[in-house]
Amino acid sequence: MKPFKAFSGTLAPLPINDIDTDQIIPARFLKVTDKNGLGEACFSDWRYESDGTPKSDFVLNKPEYKGATILIGGNNFGCGSSREHAPWALMGAGFKAVISTYFADIFRNNALKNGLLPIVVDEETHRQLISLAQEDPQTQIKVDLEAQMITLPDGRTVEFPIDGFSKYCLLNGVDQLGYLLSLEDAIVEYESTHPARVNTTQ
Amino acid sequence: MPKTLFEKVWENHIVKPQTADTPAVLYIDLHLVHEVTSPQAFTLLRERGLKVRRPDKTLATMDHSTPTTPRNADGIIPVLDTQAAFQLDFLTKNCQEFGVPLYSLGTENQGIVHVIGPEQGFTQPGMTIVCGDSHTSTHGAFGALAFGIGTSEVAHVLATQCLLQNKPKTMAIRVDGRLQDGVTAKDIILAVIAKIGVGGGTGYVFEYMGEAIRSLNMEGRMTICNMSIEGGARAGMIAPDETTFEYIAGRPAAPKGEAWERAVADWRQLPSDDGAVFDAEVSLDANTLVPMITYGTNPGMGMAITDRVPDPDSVKDISERIALDKALRYMDLQPGQSLIGKPIHVVFLGSCTNSRISDLRQAAKLLRGRRVADNVRMMVVPGSQRVKAQAEAEGLDRIFKEAGAEWREAGCSMCIAMNGDQLKPGEYAVSTSNRNFEGRQGKGGRTFLASPLTAVATAINGVITDPREMLEREVAY
Ligand code: SF4
């Protein structure tokens, strides 16, 4: 994973509550065996007519939101299935961060493990960002993970929470598997004092 | 200090405690694997030259993208979708190479991942169980801590048998009282989710308790825990009791002899202690519960079947008003409308929520001697090959077929519509599955979630029907 750097980007507003992972990437696109190529299918059913032509009123198809790197969704973003294809698809569609008032647990975990930053803001900031993005699609905000802060165009800064471990891993491009592998001794120790509960190979 | 069921299981699996800088490292007793969320994890292991640390704690099955169409003359279930076939072959290859046991398509133990674990006796109280699937919460019905993980985490568990986890909060969900006839476990959980909303349990592990939960059989308890994730909770748990032990006893993977006695003695220590404190509590009265149905595009948009579709104008919160309005437009429903009497196209009886033998028995009992209405396609998809075989041994398949329903091979089928079993755009389905998201059962399809009884009553009448009406008639005859 590449280290997560501070960046400035424009926002694509999708102010719908409870956006579920079936909308982010519909199940029929899950018959893949790698992570690539899902960006095209991101929000497929909201984005395309049944004959495949783009729906002109969907935010990701509007020319003024082209190149947005931050998606701002409604409350409870990413509920539903555990498919990690959801962050893969969002990243494939060019997003580096998603903003909401809160995220579903599994989606948040999956996003963090792939370098897609879930940013939780309060409702007031959330409303303000949505209207900024709707009024002026060129609105840029700055995302600084190190400082855990976003900076609005008027210079106002808003802090966001993230657990220290995820932050460390993102900033340094460290993947968590490496950390778990380094705990081999503790795992062996646990296994020696806790007999197996079941054996699937018998 | 008194502890909750969750805390006991959590503490017993700590390899390294949570610190200010790092999450807890949690040991996993059983890792279930399926074809859709594992390929990239196995690829990662291969790239890094890693092994599966404990194949003996790992079990794979095929369920999501598998066809449920009939076997050919050779007894094989043909996979016509080339992409699905490739994905299934890749799982076979991965399992062979890494030594992971696999229940292949059509073999005697294959089925939906959350049906096979309990069925084989692998799911036991006090365990930690994970799978790259959000409905892993199902296994919590046994007093296990079971939750869904993403594909990166699947790789973590394959390689180390451990997961990094921050400790969740706990919520007690108390359901007291007794269910009326025609009201089932599915109605309890739909009512809970309607009450707390799809995000209400975010950050929590649920523990379901109370008289109504205690009086459910294990399959009803699994239905409840299954849908914990629809309330936002990654896991739902129910304390093990005699009902639990009786269900596990004698299953292939259950402890035997002296080991059984020891295990049961341990399991009896698991229930939450008197005075254990939960971070939040919700309660529901089973006495007043009636059959539930959803009207919208997430499982929280549910109501008593006798109620009317809510009016967005009466919703104060603006973003909720927009969400409801959007959902009603997708569903093509009017505010104030009653759903009873609404014509539907498809009834789907299946999924890891309601495809076990007791669901099929209950459905067949109501369907016996009746017919599926001409305007309805009814699909019955058993949760596993074992469930299918058991149902056939009891003659349930004949009841379904004689009534005009389709009797299919085991799998997820129209719950997720990855395998060709799907709604056409605009069609309405009453479904016993767990998600009514837009397009979940096929692009443009519209789903009403309900219990197997409501599904069958609806199939018979061809319009949405309160199943209590048919039960009453049965008594009168
Ligand atoms: S039946 Fe549905 S919810 Fe259950 S595992 Fe399969 S796709 Fe997921």
Side-chain angles (χ1 to χ4, degrees), chain A residues 31 84 175 190-191 197 200, chain B residues 12 27 48 81 151-152:
Chain A
K31 286 180 276 190
E84 201 158 316
D175 91 277
Y190 180 90
E191 285 176 330
R197 301 291 305 265
T200 57
Chain B
N12 193 31
Y27 196 82
R48 298 257 200 124
D81 176 336
T151 298
S152 295

Side-chain angles (χ1 to χ4, degrees), chain B residues 63-64 112-114 133 135 351-352 412 415-416 434 440:
Chain B
D63 53 3
H64 283 65
I112 305 175
V113 65
H114 312 308
D133 190 284
H135 292 100
S351 90
C352 57
C412 296
C415 171
I416 187 161
N434 43 47
R440 170 78 179 188

Side-chain angles (χ1 to χ4, degrees), chain B residues 109-154:
Chain B
N109 292 332
Q110 175 246 337
I112 305 175
V113 65
H114 312 308
V115 175
I116 60 161
E119 183 173 86
Q120 294 295 320
F122 286 121
T123 301
Q124 296 172 18
M127 288 172 70
T128 46
I129 302 175
V130 296
C131 171
D133 190 284
S134 59
H135 292 100
T136 310
S137 58
T138 311
H139 307 261
F142 292 78
L145 174 60
F147 51 90
I149 57 178
T151 298
S152 295
E153 292 174 315
V154 169

Side-chain angles (χ1 to χ4, degrees), chain A residues 17 20 22-23 30-32 34 46 80-82 84 105 109-110 165 175 179 184 190-191 197 199-200, chain B residues 12 21 27 40 48 53-56 58 81 87 125 133 150-152 203 234 267 418 435 438 440:
Chain A
N17 284 358
D20 59 80
D22 275 87
Q23 307 317 313
L30 307 186
K31 286 180 276 190
V32 292
D34 62 18
W46 288 354
S81 103
S82 65
E84 201 158 316
D105 289 324
N109 279 342
N110 286 342
F165 184 70
D175 91 277
Y179 172 70
E184 176 65 16
Y190 180 90
E191 285 176 330
R197 301 291 305 265
N199 185 344
T200 57
Chain B
N12 193 31
D21 299 326
Y27 196 82
Q40 300 84 353
R48 298 257 200 124
R53 182 187 177 83
R54 298 298 299 260
D56 59 330
T58 313
D81 176 336
Q87 197 177 54
D133 190 284
T151 298
S152 295
R234 285 179 75 185
W267 297 342
M418 278 186 74
R435 286 186 175 144
E438 288 183 25
R440 170 78 179 188

